[in-house]
Amino acid sequence: MIFIVVRFPVRPEYRDQWLDRVADFTAATRAEPGNLFFEWSVDTTDPNRFVLLEAFASREAGVEHVNSEHFKTAMSWMPEVVSRTPDIVNVETAGQGWSRMTEITPRT
C-alpha cells in the first residue's frame, strides 16, 4: 500500500472555498479502482492548512492516480490557491488500509 499525507497551506482568502474546490478531485480519486481512501481534514493548529490522508493499493495505482486527468487538473489550479509548497510524506507499507488500534476498545 502507498500511504500519503499532504499538508496544504491555503491562502486565507481561499480557506472557505478549499473543500468545494477539491470536491471534484476528491470524488474522482475516490472512484479510482486502486484508491483505498482519500480524506480531508483541517489542521487544528492552523485553520488555513488542510491535511489530506490518502492511500492506494499499490505503487501502480499511485502512478495511475498521478497520471489521471483529475490529478493534472487539480495540480493546474492549486498553485494559485496555496500559500507555499505543500509538505508531503509518501511511504510504501504493508497492509491494504486501516487496521484496528489494539490499545483502545469501547467499554460495554
Side-chain angles (χ1 to χ4, degrees), residues 2-6 8 22 24-40 52-75 78 88 90:
I2 304 297
F3 177 69
I4 304 164
V5 180
V6 187
F8 289 87
V22 298
D24 289 343
F25 175 50
T26 300
T29 301
R30 288 176 176 168
E32 293 176 20
N35 180 257
L36 300 174
F37 54 85
F38 197 84
E39 302 171 4
W40 293 97
L52 174 61
L53 298 178
E54 57 185 306
F56 297 90
S58 65
R59 185 176 302 179
E60 294 77 22
V63 169
E64 287 180 31
H65 170 64
V66 171
N67 289 322
S68 70
E69 285 305 312
H70 53 272
F71 182 89
K72 292 174 186 175
T73 297
M75 296 307 106
M78 283 185 180
I88 188 169
N90 184 329

Side-chain angles (χ1 to χ4, degrees), residues 7 15-16 22 26 28 35-36 39 41 45-46 53 70-71 80 82-83 85 87 91-92 98-99 101-102 105:
R7 296 188 306 185
R15 189 251 179 262
D16 292 337
V22 298
T26 300
N35 180 257
L36 300 174
E39 302 171 4
S41 61
T45 62
D46 181 351
L53 298 178
H70 53 272
F71 182 89
E80 303 302 320
V82 297
S83 59
T85 302
D87 300 317
V91 297
E92 192 165 350
W98 295 99
S99 299
M101 183 177 177
T102 59
T105 302

